[in-house]
Amino acid sequence: MTTNASIEYDKTRRSIFSALYEFKAVLPGLLAMLFIAIFSNNLAGVPNPFTLQNLFAWLDGVIGPVNHQSFFQVMNSNFVWNPLLMGLIIGNVFGVPDCWKRGLSYIHMLMPLGIIMLAPHFMLGHAAKLGAVPILICTGSLFLTATVVLYVSRLLKLDDRQGSIIAGGLATGDPHACAILMPLIKAKGGQVVNSVACVIGFGLIAMNILPFLGEWIGIPAKYFGLATATTIGNGAQSLYAAFGHSYEAGRYATWFDVGRHVIMPAGFLYVFIVMFVRKLRNRDNEKVLATRGIKSFPIWLGVFVFMWILTCLHVFREPAHHAIFNMVQWDFSLAAAALGLSIPLREITRHGFKGFAVTCIAGTVRIAVLLAVILICVKTGLLPE
């Protein structure tokens, strides 16, 4: 019966797009994603004032700045996590009709497309004025953190998919990388959201502890800004910690954060390659789940690398860069809405606190090593005061 169906399908198939669902089958799910995206973020081409982003901005005005930072920026409110949050609430409170599910499956096409379009956002030339030593520290922090997270996750026997997601998010200093790694690692949606919570949660702890450590150790304000930019979860959290130390540290954290930002692709590429090689070496090991199902280096990831190289060569001009990023926001908003609708809360909580333990251990090691390295560089004159 199955063989006959396959033969009939082969006869009627006209192109690779024949495997897609009919438009009327995916329309309800696509519309759900669209409306969640529109009411979550201020997206280009949609002058809608009733968005979650505007609500958070209004609440930030009511709360007032905390160490010169908006509260919801510190909590990582952005074009990815706003629709994700709205999708989680709608999906878990009201449920997801079966007629939506085929449309929501388009997340598997939206994520790679969005990652490719992110490439023009990372221009290495923007960090050229930082100097060789700060750039080396930013790069070393990235690879050190990813390696430590992967090692600690194996020691604590954490699912290697979640360990990989945490490694990408913590190493790059941006929870966005957790979502970027999802299609590469073949992680589950619940693992991604859990990992994001771990990275943001550790950042909240670190941003309150680091100012006291900086004062105690005696790192100059300028290079304390470098320390916060390379050891905390996201940009707003690092600025919170830096301004908690001094206004000068906050200004320099803004400056040094560029160095962390432009090398982010190297972080999630490193995590993917390490786990992909590990999977190839352990094909028969059922406990090795990260990248399982990916038989060769993904073509779309190669396109991303190629686009990143073109970006570093200044092929994309500023207007093109901003236009492409508007498309990225649309793409990731739709994908995040689909992800939020697809995840039951029990899938997020079932992974427990082991991921947070891994994050805290690796994050603490990173803080200790980087503070020591920066202090040594200051004392030896590699980082002139």
Side-chain angles (χ1 to χ4, degrees):
M1 194 71 180
T2 305
T3 305
N4 292 336
S6 300
I7 293 172
E8 289 299 320
Y9 173 74
D10 288 337
K11 288 180 179 180
T12 57
R13 181 179 180 181
R14 297 180 180 178
S15 71
I16 59 172
F17 298 104
S18 301
L20 300 177
Y21 296 116
E22 294 182 357
F23 181 69
K24 64 181 180 181
V26 301
L27 183 59
L30 293 179
L31 287 176
M33 294 158 57
L34 177 66
F35 282 113
I36 290 176
I38 289 174
F39 284 96
S40 297
N41 301 314
N42 300 331
L43 298 171
V46 182
N48 173 34
F50 303 105
T51 64
L52 194 61
Q53 182 178 343
N54 286 338
L55 174 62
F56 286 155
W58 178 80
L59 290 174
D60 279 331
V62 173
I63 297 170
V66 285
N67 280 356
H68 303 275
Q69 300 304 301
S70 300
F71 174 77
F72 284 97
Q73 289 298 309
V74 171
M75 297 302 295
N76 205 56
S77 169
N78 54 45
F79 62 89
V80 175
W81 308 117
N82 292 347
L84 175 65
L85 175 62
M86 188 173 287
L88 281 172
I89 294 172
I90 293 173
N92 286 277
V93 174
F94 302 102
V96 178
D98 289 337
C99 64
W100 289 11
K101 293 180 180 178
R102 290 184 175 181
L104 299 182
S105 68
Y106 274 59
I107 185 178
H108 300 294
M109 289 186 287
L110 290 170
M111 288 295 288
L113 177 62
I115 294 169
I116 291 172
M117 290 191 296
L118 267 178
H121 194 52
F122 305 106
M123 188 174 292
L124 290 176
H126 288 167
K129 294 182 180 180
L130 296 182
V133 174
I135 292 175
L136 286 174
I137 290 175
C138 291
T139 306
S141 168
L142 185 149
F143 292 117
L144 168 71
T145 306
T147 303
V148 172
V149 172
L150 294 176
Y151 178 72
V152 174
S153 65
R154 289 185 67 181
L155 286 181
L156 297 186
K157 297 181 180 179
L158 180 68
D159 187 305
D160 62 350
R161 293 168 295 183
Q162 186 171 0
S164 303
I165 298 295
I166 294 173
L170 192 64
T172 59
D174 196 325
H176 280 111
C178 297
I180 292 172
L181 275 168
M182 181 182 175
L184 293 169
I185 298 299
K186 296 298 182 182
K188 295 181 179 179
Q191 293 173 322
V192 173
V193 178
N194 186 284
S195 300
V196 170
C198 292
V199 174
I200 295 175
F202 174 75
L204 294 173
I205 296 171
M207 73 184 192
N208 287 290
I209 294 176
L210 266 175
F212 298 102
L213 290 177
E215 290 283 353
W216 178 54
I217 296 174
I219 294 179
K222 177 179 180 180
Y223 297 114
F224 183 76
L226 173 61
T228 61
T230 54
T231 58
I232 299 183
N234 65 33
Q237 290 176 340
S238 67
L239 289 175
Y240 177 101
F243 279 113
H245 179 277
S246 64
Y247 183 76
E248 184 180 5
R251 291 194 305 112
Y252 276 107
T254 306
W255 174 261
F256 287 120
D257 191 60
V258 176
R260 173 198 66 84
H261 184 265
V262 297
I263 61 171
M264 277 178 55
F268 58 78
L269 286 171
Y270 172 74
V271 172
F272 167 71
I273 291 171
V274 168
M275 301 310 290
F276 183 64
V277 171
R278 177 172 176 255
K279 186 263 297 184
L280 292 178
R281 292 179 175 176
N282 299 273
R283 294 178 184 273
D284 299 326
N285 189 342
E286 295 180 354
K287 294 182 180 180
V288 178
L289 299 172
T291 74
R292 181 71 65 182
I294 299 179
K295 297 180 180 179
S296 60
F297 193 85
I299 296 175
W300 63 266
L301 187 60
V303 174
F304 169 84
V305 174
F306 177 68
M307 297 289 282
W308 188 29
I309 293 171
L310 293 182
T311 300
C312 296
L313 296 174
H314 294 265
V315 172
F316 299 102
R317 301 301 179 185
E318 283 300 314
H321 157 72
H322 291 295
I324 293 172
F325 193 67
N326 286 335
M327 295 170 63
V328 168
Q329 290 180 321
W330 264 106
D331 187 283
F332 272 92
S333 293
L334 292 168
L339 181 61
L341 289 171
S342 304
I343 306 175
L345 285 177
R346 64 178 179 274
E347 284 296 318
I348 301 173
T349 57
R350 70 186 292 267
H351 301 287
F353 292 97
K354 189 179 288 188
F356 187 61
V358 169
T359 308
C360 289
I361 293 171
T364 302
V365 171
R366 175 175 67 177
I367 289 174
V369 172
L370 281 177
L371 289 180
V373 168
I374 291 173
L375 187 61
I376 291 171
C377 289
V378 170
K379 297 296 184 182
T380 57
L382 291 173
L383 292 173
E385 296 188 51

